[in-house]
Amino acid sequence: MLIVMEHYATPENVKTVIAAIEAQGFTAQPIPGGDRVAIGVLGNHGYVDETPFRGLAGVRDFIHVTKPYKLVTRDFHPEDTVVEVGGVRVGWGEKPIVIAGPCAVESREQLFAAARVAKENGADMLRGGAFKPRTGPHTFQGLGFAGVELLREAKTQFGLPTVTEVMRIDQLDFVAQNVDCLQIGARNMQNFDLLKEAAKIKKPILLKRGMSATLEEFLAAAEYLVAGGNDQVILCERGIRTFERALRNTLDLAVVPYLKKVTHLPVIVDPSHAIGIRELIPVMSKASLVVGAAGVMIEMHPDPKCALCDGQQSLGPESFAKMMKDMEALKGAL
Ligand code: PEP
Ligand code: MN
């Protein structure tokens, strides 16, 4: 880190900052400039917290050289991380995967019907929300723990690894015992207590980008999981909120090749929540593969018009089957 001093900072101010740097166990390197002094902080092994220097007289600004994340970067770990979810490999160099299933687990009949469609059409994993983060309280909130049990039954019956969202720390253990991958959703990407506890779980985590999170914040959230002991992390781009209102969110696919450069963790795309309009999901799923995504997550419902959640963006069995055929052809071409 560089600490930039004000032009009016006195030699005494500079001395105080140097002493504060040394008090933290670092080495200070003053760099006199034309009209101000910058002081380099050397000897750190990670991100330097600027808090101890913030209130000091004559300090103007901080320039960080080390990012608030490190373990998730290729600088630290150049090789791709391959995350294994119930035997399915997810990674940059692997065959792209498809996670499919309803927004919410509604009943055994509904979940099993969706699982059958997923399985018959070659999906790699089954999704379904048991704990649902709904915008308002007067909508279907999910089946909770009973929904998690249905996911376990569906896995036994159809042999597909399962993914479901956890919203609270007290859900972690039960979900980890019953499903193959724990999702931390957009609204909880910066629930740091949840991230710290999820890091202790020995199951893969699907971390979704917050709807207003920068990529730095996204990676820093993933850093909590890896730093806490869980490097089985899949990142998911699910669209961000911009000034545009025609679509549910804005799907920025450039994130995929950018993150491929920066991180060894695999990135998948969720076009369903990004776009919110059923007809547009297949083409953007294909686009996700073209830009190199390690996979896609698709909302699919046996009868979307009756869905209790996100029916407008859910594919039905026929459109899902067609999309899967098109994706298979595309994978061959890629
Ligand atoms: C979901 O995948 O079920 C979900 C709620 O998505 P997001 O967290 O991206 O809104
Ligand atoms: Mn949904």
Side-chain angles (χ1 to χ4, degrees):
M1 182 171 75
L2 274 177
I3 301 180
V4 182
M5 302 299 288
E6 298 283 9
H7 65 91
Y8 53 76
T10 64
E12 264 319 299
N13 294 157
V14 173
K15 262 197 206 146
T16 308
V17 173
I18 291 173
I21 292 169
E22 290 172 351
Q24 299 294 316
F26 303 131
T27 307
Q29 175 73 61
I31 309 162
D35 59 359
R36 64 182 79 246
V37 176
I39 308 170
V41 179
L42 308 176
N44 53 303
H45 294 293
Y47 188 74
V48 179
D49 181 3
E50 63 191 46
T51 316
F53 316 108
R54 213 181 271 146
L56 300 180
V59 169
R60 175 195 168 108
D61 205 2
F62 303 93
I63 300 172
H64 288 276
V65 179
T66 309
K67 303 270 188 207
Y69 49 86
K70 167 178 159 187
L71 304 176
V72 300
T73 64
R74 289 200 187 268
D75 299 341
F76 183 77
H77 184 293
E79 316 79 37
D80 296 340
T81 286
V82 177
V83 180
E84 282 221 26
V85 183
V88 174
R89 290 167 64 84
V90 188
W92 287 115
E94 304 291 320
K95 184 170 154 283
I97 54 115
V98 177
I99 305 172
C103 179
V105 178
E106 298 170 10
S107 65
R108 178 180 282 107
E109 194 191 7
Q110 173 250 17
L111 182 65
F112 280 31
R116 183 168 292 112
V117 173
K119 182 77 184 178
E120 284 175 359
N121 290 288
D124 302 279
M125 288 182 220
L126 176 67
R127 66 151 283 150
F131 307 102
K132 291 305 304 174
R134 303 303 305 278
T135 301
H138 306 299
T139 52
F140 179 59
Q141 302 287 305
L143 296 181
F145 290 98
V148 178
E149 278 169 0
L150 290 176
L151 284 161
R152 187 196 58 223
E153 284 182 34
K155 180 189 161 129
T156 311
Q157 174 123 356
F158 297 95
L160 287 173
T162 48
V163 187
T164 202
E165 177 165 355
V166 281
M167 297 204 296
R168 292 198 319 254
I169 291 170
D170 65 298
Q171 296 160 352
L172 284 168
D173 284 336
F174 188 78
V175 172
Q177 282 157 21
N178 289 286
V179 305
D180 298 287
C181 180
L182 280 60
Q183 175 173 321
I184 295 183
R187 290 155 193 81
N188 274 312
M189 186 204 84
Q190 285 188 314
N191 181 338
F192 301 116
D193 287 337
L194 182 62
L195 293 173
K196 283 181 196 163
E197 290 303 311
K200 298 178 191 160
I201 297 283
K202 301 277 166 269
K203 278 280 162 92
I205 309 276
L206 177 64
L207 178 66
K208 301 189 83 173
R209 181 183 182 185
M211 60 186 84
S212 61
T214 64
L215 294 181
E216 281 224 353
E217 289 164 341
F218 192 18
L219 291 170
E223 185 86 358
Y224 270 90
L225 297 170
V226 180
N230 191 341
D231 63 356
Q232 294 292 288
V233 180
I234 302 167
L235 302 175
C236 180
E237 169 60 46
R238 47 78 74 206
I240 50 170
R241 183 164 287 181
T242 66
F243 50 81
E244 178 52 55
R245 305 300 331 135
L247 305 170
R248 182 169 176 176
N249 286 290
T250 297
L251 177 55
D252 178 5
L253 284 179
V255 161
V256 176
Y258 173 78
L259 287 177
K260 189 173 187 175
K261 267 165 62 95
V262 175
T263 182
H264 51 91
L265 299 175
V267 176
I268 68 166
V269 173
D270 168 358
S272 305
H273 291 91
I275 298 161
I277 301 173
R278 181 182 306 121
E279 291 72 21
L280 306 186
I281 308 303
V283 70
M284 295 312 287
S285 298
K286 286 185 274 179
S288 304
L289 297 195
V290 170
V291 297
V296 291
M297 179 154 82
I298 306 294
E299 285 190 337
M300 176 268 285
H301 192 284
D303 187 4
K305 66 182 182 311
C306 294
L308 297 182
C309 186
D310 283 350
Q312 79 290 346
Q313 66 196 30
S314 299
L315 300 186
E318 279 169 26
S319 49
F320 182 71
K322 178 167 185 328
M323 184 196 77
M324 289 299 279
K325 278 205 193 77
D326 290 352
M327 299 247 284
E328 216 33 63
L330 178 64
K331 280 184 211 168
L334 288 171

